[in-house]
Amino acid sequence: MCTFVDSKKVLKMSKRYTITAALPYTNGPIHIGHLAGVYVPADIYARYLRLTGNDVAFICGSDEHGVPITIKAKKEGVSPQDIVDKYHAIIKKSFEDFGISLDNYSRTTAKIHHDTASEFFTTLYEKGEFIEEVTEQLYDEEANQFLADRFVIGTCPKCGNEESYGDQCEACGTSHNATDLINPKSAITGNVPTLKQTKHWFLPLDKHEAFLKEWILEGHKKDWKSNVYGQCKSWIDDGLRPRAVTRDLDWGIPVPLPDAEGKVLYVWFDAPIGYISATKEWAAREGKDWEPYWKDKDTKLVHFIGKDNIVFHCIIFPAMLKAEGSYILPDNVPANEFLNLEGNKLSTSKNWAVWLPEYLEDFPNQQDVLRYALTANAPETKDNDFTWKDFQARNNNELVAIFGNFINRVVVLTDKYYNGIVPEASNFSKIDEETLATVKAYPDVISSSIERYRFREASQELMNLARLGNKYLADEEPWKMIKQDEVRTQTIMFVALQIASALATLSEPFLPFTSDKLKRILNFEKNTWNEVSSKDILIPAGHQIGKAELLFSKIEDETVQFQVDKLLATKKANEAANKTVEPQKEEITFDDFTKLDLRVGTILEAEKMPKAKKLLVLKVDTGIDIRTIVSGIAESFTPEEVIGKKVTVLVNLAPRALRGVESQGMILMTETPEGKLVFVNPDTSTALSTGDANVNNGLHIS
């Protein structure tokens, strides 16, 4: 770890890090919630560690087993392998497109993973770490299969959510067993499941409770995030119970025992082992030994996850590693909270999300804008909300107006005054020296935030360095000084270029594409993180830089409104899809129908009912009389809109008093598929006039 002595000198010892990012589930693409919660913070941390000279293995992979994948495969009429192959490719490309600098992105259907997970299970089995029990599990008689947790839906025993899954309630985050649910139903057939005996193997978490109390509640009380520590404490305080590590399924890793036909390793058991198998795969490819990254006590293991995975990475996986005996335990698990979207919870099933492939279609080459907006608004300690307006403001007011503006001015002026050659500096003023000293302090400042997993804070410190550059130029005004003192102007521009060079290096963890572009403009490879603190000159006099290019471009209001409109269209589509249709009423006879007297009338007058939000009081000429009708249409029509309208009236409905006004009939209304209220109108081309005294005005069924 880095040891900071002062802002000018950094003593550092290289260290080995294994960084894991939660395995994304391969039943759909990646959205901004995944990026904000796990992958951007993990990438910032990994890139920073590499820049500070550490040995880093940044590991991830597709989580490809489990019931949701089999459900999706059944719906689409394809095999589970088809589903995971499709989304593994999509997810892998999204990570590459957004600069997530993984050393290896593997998958849990790979042979190396099946072998590793089977070996891990066998080791624990042979050490006697499992409990073998015959228990009663929920069974769907019609589907003729045991119901894995995600095939069961019922009422959460803790919060009362009526749509809780069998393994976890997404409303309150509580993990439980399917048999704990109240009123469980099969997600396959909708039937009430029965209980049937089956044999499974359990990891006795209660056996490890004392170790977990000491390791987490005492050992990590001060250095783990409060949301992580609090959830772990709640689980441990409630008392840990044995948890099944096998399931009755045909999609997954077969349990490597002779008497376990038709059973697979439970996905929560096999998925975290995916970190180990992915590390093995990477090490074999790179000609490295994988074991030090998982078994050397000098290695620092860090898991980046969302809050829904805290219990698995802080309690269950460590218990597995401890039971195996040869593995290190995580040094930290900096889990984030959830990111919402425009005030609503992100939902893949409702398409309430910003999908990464779609983002790049609408915002090509603007990955860093999204990375920055998500980092600056990261849900580190509480759920946060992503809005397109905030995204626009972060881009226009910070990336464009502060970072991009400073770099553009420095490069344009250097080209204009010196043909792009870094000028010589002489006679530093007090402000020059203070500015350069402040620049040297920034690596330590940003490091402090990153190493405490405060990436939002770190991103703002980076922006403060760009603010320093803008203030320096604004105060020193080289565009004016060039007319008065060319020697002084050279020094000003030399200092400004040192700030630009520092930004090129220090921005790499946060804005990797921008950092690469800025290095190309400045025409140099890079300084290391520590050199920004220790070197007096980051870009030397006489160095030729390139031409100015805009690092960021302004995002207009109409661009943002288009994204908002897309979400609103999604919301309306969801409302229409979820709209409940009233069931058909009891059957009536033709004689019942003939009792209705329907006539076409004309609305002569209309006014709002006092103190009533929904009611209009109408005067309607029915052709047989002029009568008062009270109608609940005030939220859809103004009084002015309905005057003169032809309407269909049920005239022989018994009068009814509404708020003291006697209503003498009913106006017939209906709804469009979009839910808009409309009049049931007669065919205007054949409608009879109310002024024709010799005819019955309208439809009269008798």
Side-chain angles (χ1 to χ4, degrees):
M1 202 56 148
C2 295
T3 303
F4 299 107
V5 177
D6 58 40
S7 62
K8 293 185 178 181
K9 186 175 181 181
V10 177
L11 296 177
K12 182 176 182 310
M13 292 179 63
S14 178
K15 189 175 178 70
R16 185 188 305 108
Y17 288 81
T18 300
I19 302 169
T20 72
L23 306 186
Y25 206 57
T26 45
N27 63 342
I30 294 289
H31 57 59
I32 59 170
H34 302 124
L35 212 58
V38 177
Y39 305 108
V40 166
D43 186 61
I44 291 171
Y45 191 63
R47 286 177 178 273
Y48 159 74
L49 289 174
R50 294 191 193 104
L51 278 170
T52 52
N54 292 286
D55 178 9
V56 175
F58 183 17
I59 301 298
C60 191
S62 293
D63 183 0
E64 300 181 325
H65 297 132
V67 175
I69 286 167
T70 64
I71 292 175
K72 193 174 189 73
K74 285 183 178 180
K75 285 182 179 178
E76 297 189 11
V78 298
S79 71
Q81 191 66 51
D82 290 332
I83 294 293
V84 298
D85 286 347
K86 173 183 176 181
Y87 289 111
H88 171 76
I90 291 172
I91 293 169
K92 187 172 186 290
K93 186 175 188 304
S94 289
F95 286 151
E96 292 168 353
D97 288 343
F98 278 85
I100 308 302
S101 59
L102 294 161
D103 290 298
N104 194 36
Y105 187 73
S106 190
R107 55 192 308 187
T108 59
T109 55
K111 183 179 184 302
I112 193 170
H113 176 69
H114 277 235
D115 292 345
T116 302
S118 297
E119 180 185 342
F120 199 102
F121 177 92
T122 301
T123 299
L124 265 58
Y125 177 80
E126 291 176 348
K127 291 182 69 174
E129 293 291 341
F130 294 133
I131 299 171
E132 183 179 312
E133 285 188 4
V134 174
T135 61
E136 289 188 323
Q137 298 290 322
L138 296 176
Y139 187 84
D140 189 324
E141 299 284 354
E142 182 180 339
N144 193 29
Q145 70 177 72
F146 283 98
L147 296 174
D149 294 335
R150 289 275 160 161
F151 275 138
V152 185
I153 297 174
T155 301
C156 173
K158 185 166 184 178
C159 74
N161 170 32
E162 295 181 354
E163 296 185 355
S164 175
Y165 290 113
D167 60 343
Q168 187 175 35
C169 175
E170 294 190 349
C172 68
T174 301
S175 294
H176 46 232
N177 294 316
T179 50
D180 296 332
L181 290 176
I182 302 166
N183 300 323
K185 290 185 179 180
S186 168
I188 302 173
T189 64
N191 294 337
V192 176
T194 60
L195 287 170
K196 188 174 180 179
Q197 287 191 337
T198 183
K199 181 170 69 175
H200 284 292
W201 289 264
F202 292 75
L203 180 67
L205 292 175
D206 49 325
K207 174 182 174 181
H208 303 283
E209 193 169 303
F211 145 69
L212 290 167
K213 278 184 179 179
E214 180 182 355
W215 176 61
I216 298 174
L217 302 188
E218 296 175 21
H220 288 295
K221 186 173 185 177
K222 295 182 178 179
D223 62 332
W224 280 16
K225 293 170 71 171
S226 60
N227 61 319
V228 178
Y229 183 87
Q231 193 176 132
C232 292
K233 188 175 187 304
S234 176
W235 258 71
I236 294 170
D237 287 349
D238 284 346
L240 301 177
R241 293 175 290 279
R243 191 174 182 92
V245 301
T246 60
R247 273 293 180 260
D248 294 288
L249 284 173
D250 58 3
W251 175 249
I253 300 173
V255 175
L257 295 173
D259 56 344
E261 186 177 349
K263 300 180 190 298
V264 299
L265 299 182
Y266 198 0
V267 67
W268 68 256
F269 182 86
D270 101 74
I273 297 171
Y275 300 137
I276 301 170
S277 60
T279 307
K280 286 183 177 181
E281 187 178 69
W282 164 74
R285 186 178 67 235
E286 300 296 323
K288 293 175 176 280
D289 180 4
W290 72 272
E291 290 201 354
Y293 292 89
W294 279 95
K295 298 186 176 183
D296 189 325
K297 62 181 177 59
D298 291 329
T299 297
K300 183 173 179 178
L301 172 63
V302 182
H303 297 309
F304 283 86
I305 57 169
K307 69 177 178 182
D308 53 335
N309 270 320
I310 288 174
V311 66
F312 297 106
H313 288 74
C314 298
I315 293 178
I316 298 174
F317 190 39
M320 292 163 55
L321 296 173
K322 181 72 172 176
E324 198 278 345
S326 67
Y327 286 85
I328 58 173
L329 299 176
D331 183 83
N332 213 313
V333 186
N336 275 347
E337 299 292 291
F338 289 152
L339 184 74
N340 297 323
L341 172 60
E342 297 286 355
N344 292 298
K345 184 178 178 180
L346 279 156
S347 172
T348 56
S349 61
K350 295 179 180 177
N351 196 30
W352 190 256
V354 178
W355 305 104
L356 300 195
E358 289 186 12
Y359 172 86
L360 283 181
E361 289 178 9
D362 294 339
F363 297 92
N365 302 315
Q366 295 187 70
Q367 297 95 320
D368 278 352
V369 179
L370 185 60
R371 284 179 62 120
Y372 179 76
L374 294 176
T375 303
N377 193 35
E380 292 179 346
T381 56
K382 63 182 179 64
D383 290 358
N384 268 3
D385 194 38
F386 175 91
T387 68
W388 282 108
K389 281 294 184 183
D390 180 72
F391 167 83
Q392 180 189 29
R394 295 286 184 186
N395 178 78
N396 294 354
N397 302 338
E398 296 175 30
L399 293 177
V400 173
I402 299 172
F403 195 118
N405 179 59
F406 169 68
I407 295 299
N408 190 60
R409 287 201 291 178
V410 171
V411 176
V412 167
L413 292 176
T414 303
D415 182 61
K416 181 179 180 180
Y417 299 158
Y418 313 113
N419 294 318
I421 297 174
V422 178
E424 289 276 359
S426 58
N427 299 322
F428 287 130
S429 69
K430 182 180 180 182
I431 188 66
D432 297 337
E433 291 175 346
E434 289 176 350
T435 299
L436 290 172
T438 302
V439 171
K440 286 188 173 186
Y442 263 100
D444 287 16
V445 172
I446 298 173
S447 288
S448 176
S449 297
I450 290 177
E451 292 181 8
R452 288 178 292 130
Y453 309 103
R454 296 182 179 181
F455 304 107
R456 183 170 60 194
E457 180 180 277
S459 71
Q460 295 313 294
E461 292 296 350
L462 175 72
M463 195 57 64
N464 285 338
L465 176 56
R467 287 188 175 96
L468 173 72
N470 275 313
K471 185 178 187 307
Y472 177 77
L473 285 181
D475 290 347
E476 299 306 305
E477 298 181 308
W479 45 87
K480 290 184 180 179
M481 187 61 66
I482 191 72
K483 301 172 184 177
Q484 306 166 19
D485 189 339
E486 290 188 7
V487 174
R488 172 63 189 151
T489 304
Q490 289 181 198
T491 302
I492 294 170
M493 292 309 301
F494 177 86
V495 172
L497 282 159
Q498 304 311 305
I499 301 172
S501 299
L503 281 169
T505 297
L506 300 183
S507 66
E508 183 177 329
F510 310 92
L511 308 168
F513 299 94
T514 303
S515 174
D516 286 346
K517 191 172 183 179
L518 182 50
K519 289 167 195 167
R520 188 173 69 251
I521 292 170
L522 296 177
N523 191 29
F524 82 125
E525 285 298 317
K526 66 178 177 182
N527 295 289
T528 68
W529 193 273
N530 301 313
E531 284 174 335
V532 177
S533 288
S534 60
K535 287 174 66 173
D536 290 328
I537 297 175
L538 299 177
I539 188 167
H543 177 79
Q544 177 73 57
I545 69 171
K547 297 290 185 180
E549 299 178 45
L550 289 180
L551 295 181
F552 308 99
S553 56
K554 187 178 179 183
I555 295 174
E556 303 296 341
D557 290 346
E558 54 265 29
T559 301
V560 167
Q561 190 58 49
F562 175 75
Q563 298 299 327
V564 173
D565 290 344
K566 276 206 305 187
L567 287 172
L568 291 176
T570 294
K571 180 177 282 189
K572 287 182 179 179
N574 288 336
E575 289 171 353
N578 296 328
K579 189 171 182 179
T580 57
V581 179
E582 291 293 325
Q584 178 179 302
K585 294 182 179 180
E586 290 184 14
E587 189 177 88
I588 63 172
T589 66
F590 181 75
D591 289 340
D592 292 325
F593 180 70
T594 60
K595 294 177 182 178
L596 301 178
D597 191 342
L598 300 173
R599 302 191 179 228
V600 173
T602 303
I603 299 176
L604 303 178
E605 300 176 16
E607 62 180 3
K608 284 191 173 182
M609 172 80 78
K611 299 181 181 180
K613 185 178 180 182
K614 297 182 179 181
L615 302 179
L616 290 183
V617 180
L618 310 174
K619 291 287 187 182
V620 182
D621 182 351
T622 66
I624 54 175
D625 57 18
I626 296 175
R627 62 177 67 186
T628 299
I629 297 176
V630 180
S631 183
I633 60 173
E635 291 183 313
S636 299
F637 300 95
T638 65
E640 294 76 19
E641 283 182 290
V642 299
I643 293 175
K645 287 278 187 184
K646 298 281 187 182
V647 292
T648 302
V649 185
L650 177 61
V651 295
N652 64 335
L653 183 68
R656 181 184 177 192
L658 294 171
R659 290 183 176 264
V661 177
E662 186 177 74
S663 181
Q664 302 166 313
M666 179 182 288
I667 305 291
L668 269 62
M669 310 291 294
T670 189
E671 288 186 348
T672 67
E674 294 77 28
K676 182 182 178 182
L677 198 64
V678 295
F679 291 102
V680 176
N681 280 331
D683 182 349
T684 54
S685 65
T686 59
L688 297 177
S689 168
T690 55
D692 189 343
N694 298 319
V695 297
N696 182 358
N697 183 6
L699 272 214
H700 181 192
I701 299 176
S702 57

